[in-house]
Amino acid sequence: SVSPGVLPLCCRLPAWDRASRPSPSPLQPPGLPLAPCRSFSNNKIQVELDESSGVAMMKFKSPPVNSLSLEFLTEFSISLEKLENNRACRGVIITSAVPKIFSSGLDITEMCGKSMEHYTEFWRAVQEMWLRLYGSNMVTVAAVNGSSPAGGCLMALSCDYRIMAENPKFSIGLNEAQLGIVAPFWFKDTFVNVVGHRIAERSLQLGSLHPAPEAHKLGLVDELVPEEKLMEKAAAVMAQWLALPDHARQLTKTMMRKAVLDRLVAHREEDIKNFISFVSKESIQKSLRMYMEMLKKRKS
Ligand code: CO8
């Protein structure tokens, strides 16, 4: 098992700084099912790598809602790093094994009534997840098979391509403002890079959660497909992206994303301090507690 927060990853060169992988051998489309597979499932995330196609499937399996706890984030970053370091792996599809939910975003209980040390460790793990995913050399496809608020939306936005199940009951967006909190600058940067400034500004100020069809119209997700076709479509998109030489695609991705990644790397400690000072305010703690209560009331 992994001790939470001890991320050996931080000490290594980030993915976007590493030498590119060698160019691929002639491509084999991934196809379904992804077999033969090498899997390294852990508590909250299950990973299956099909070495013949070079495509890994990463499934979130942390019921009830795949909230991004410290443990989840740590497992995620370590799993991604394992794949990143495996030359047989060229692409990863991320999806959920929990029905109707992709991820409910950051685990709010990790931000309520905890110590400064805990907030530091938690926020560093959130940063690490994003640096790893947004900066990944691999092709990353999000198969969004359920609702995906806030941090869940960030994960999808950090991928190269997003396909969502066309169920209008599933929504996605950066709804932080609805919780009385503010999306950090690198959440915002990632959002702007996907949908453009105007849509991002309106959506962030209103804390909008967009039903799947609206998310598609705004460009927040690239495609909608019937839920039963989602994995097939994700595999087909992956094959299309993997048909290019890795080095050209990776360098292009770096060119597009480096400035945004570097901005967080340069201000990482300051960003942690800001998070701690923000989240430990009594008014913010109150907002978060009220939001959790609202979730529970809505249920009963
Ligand atoms: N964290 C912790 N617990 C959660 C979360 C969460 N994000 N979301 C849901 N839960 C809990 C619920 O409280 C409930 O607990 P219990 O069973 O003990 O009552 C359980 O999970 C199941 O939840 P629901 O009954 O609501 O499940 P549904 O299937 O009806 O709905 C949803 C699922 C749509 C995901 C719904 O739970 C929901 O809307 N959750 C809230 C999502 C949200 O707003 N997340 C935002 C988190 S903040 C974030 O990610 C970025 C913060 C950036 C930091 C800014 C600086 C401070």
Side-chain angles (χ1 to χ4, degrees), residues 10-28:
C10 320
C11 318
R12 313 227 179 138
L13 276 178
W16 62 98
D17 267 0
R18 282 191 226 133
S20 296
R21 286 142 206 269
S23 277
S25 53
L27 226 228
Q28 285 182 313

Side-chain angles (χ1 to χ4, degrees), residues 64-65 67-68 99-101 103-111 123 147-152 171 175-176 179 181-184 187 209 275 278-279 284 288 291-292 295-296 298-299:
V65 289
S67 65
L68 307 177
K100 300 185 192 148
I101 311 283
S103 162
S104 70
L106 301 192
D107 191 318
I108 297 167
T109 61
E110 300 276 17
M111 301 189 280
W123 198 247
S147 288
S148 194
S171 61
N175 62 322
E176 281 79 355
L179 285 77
I181 57 178
V182 182
F187 283 46
L209 282 173
F275 171 73
F278 187 70
V279 86
I284 300 302
L288 293 174
Y291 189 76
M292 285 301 281
L295 285 179
K296 285 188 196 309
R298 199 186 57 170
K299 199 172 169 184

Side-chain angles (χ1 to χ4, degrees), residues 17-48:
D17 267 0
R18 282 191 226 133
S20 296
R21 286 142 206 269
S23 277
S25 53
L27 226 228
Q28 285 182 313
L32 284 175
L34 299 175
C37 287
R38 172 177 295 225
S39 55
F40 51 92
S41 177
N42 38 34
N43 278 345
K44 297 185 177 288
I45 294 170
Q46 179 192 330
V47 183
E48 285 184 357

